Amino acid sequence: MKRNPRKLKWTKAYRRNAGKEMVVDSTLLFGQRRNEPVRYDRDLVERTLGAMKRVSEIRQRRERVFYRKRMAGRRERELAAARKLVAENEHLLPRMRGSEKKRLAEMAAAGEAVDLEAEEEAATKAYKTKAFGQEKRRLRVRADGEVEEEGMDMD
């Protein structure tokens, strides 16, 4: 089956087209085939092998620099994508109960330092009801804000 090499992700053509690999570099010219027969010369072979080592070192260094430049803003892009995902699907996230919001507001009014994110995370962890398998825990919130566990139920 014939396929377009620019669409197959593992090919050199794809990687160059997508900007994942260096395209313009003088060290890439040394890897090309030459169809000119050359008479054997020991000194020429020695110089060629030395030049090949040097060229590979230069190419590796340039590839590392190219990769660093390409990945420079990766962390910021990932964070922006994650924030966008959370903003679009905020309705799927667990919410804090009214009694907890009220308690946090009272703590803030009293002048205590309140870490909203930590409190929110702790509150949502406390109300996870799925234990494992088909078993579920039922939690009952009392009037004083304490959480107590009811009996086990099977679904």
Side-chain angles (χ1 to χ4, degrees):
M1 170 190 289
K2 290 185 180 179
R3 292 193 176 156
N4 187 349
R6 287 185 303 259
K7 291 184 179 179
L8 297 174
K9 294 196 175 190
W10 54 270
T11 61
K12 286 278 192 183
Y14 171 84
R15 293 186 61 78
R16 285 184 178 147
N17 212 19
K20 295 179 180 291
E21 222 168 85
M22 291 190 303
V23 178
V24 180
D25 192 24
S26 59
T27 59
L28 298 173
L29 298 174
F30 291 106
Q32 293 177 344
R33 281 185 70 116
R34 287 163 188 79
N35 293 326
E36 302 168 6
V38 179
R39 182 175 226 162
Y40 177 75
D41 181 9
R42 187 176 188 152
D43 294 333
L44 178 65
V45 170
E46 188 177 330
R47 283 183 285 146
T48 304
L49 291 175
M52 286 169 58
K53 288 179 186 174
R54 181 75 178 124
V55 166
S56 69
E57 290 171 4
I58 292 169
R59 181 184 295 155
Q60 287 174 355
R61 188 176 67 239
R62 288 180 181 174
E63 284 176 352
R64 278 195 304 269
V65 170
F66 180 78
Y67 179 79
R68 282 197 192 114
K69 283 183 181 176
R70 192 166 64 88
M71 293 293 155
R74 188 177 111 225
R75 179 82 174 136
E76 290 79 21
R77 285 192 301 269
E78 286 176 355
L79 286 175
R83 285 190 184 104
K84 181 182 175 193
L85 182 70
V86 168
E88 287 175 353
N89 301 307
E90 197 170 359
H91 62 282
L92 299 174
L93 296 174
R95 293 202 178 114
M96 211 188 268
R97 295 183 185 214
S99 59
E100 291 163 359
K101 286 183 182 178
K102 189 176 181 182
R103 183 179 59 84
L104 289 175
E106 290 172 358
M107 286 175 60
E112 297 178 27
V114 179
D115 184 15
L116 287 177
E117 291 179 5
E119 289 285 338
E120 198 169 322
E121 188 175 319
T124 55
K125 280 184 182 177
Y127 294 107
K128 297 271 187 218
T129 58
K130 188 85 168 168
F132 58 87
Q134 296 296 318
E135 299 175 5
K136 286 190 176 181
R137 292 185 295 146
R138 291 185 179 243
L139 302 175
R140 179 183 293 163
V141 180
R142 296 192 313 220
D144 60 349
E146 291 293 319
V147 178
E148 65 181 28
E149 191 174 327
E150 283 186 19
M152 291 286 217
D153 284 347
M154 297 293 279
D155 283 341

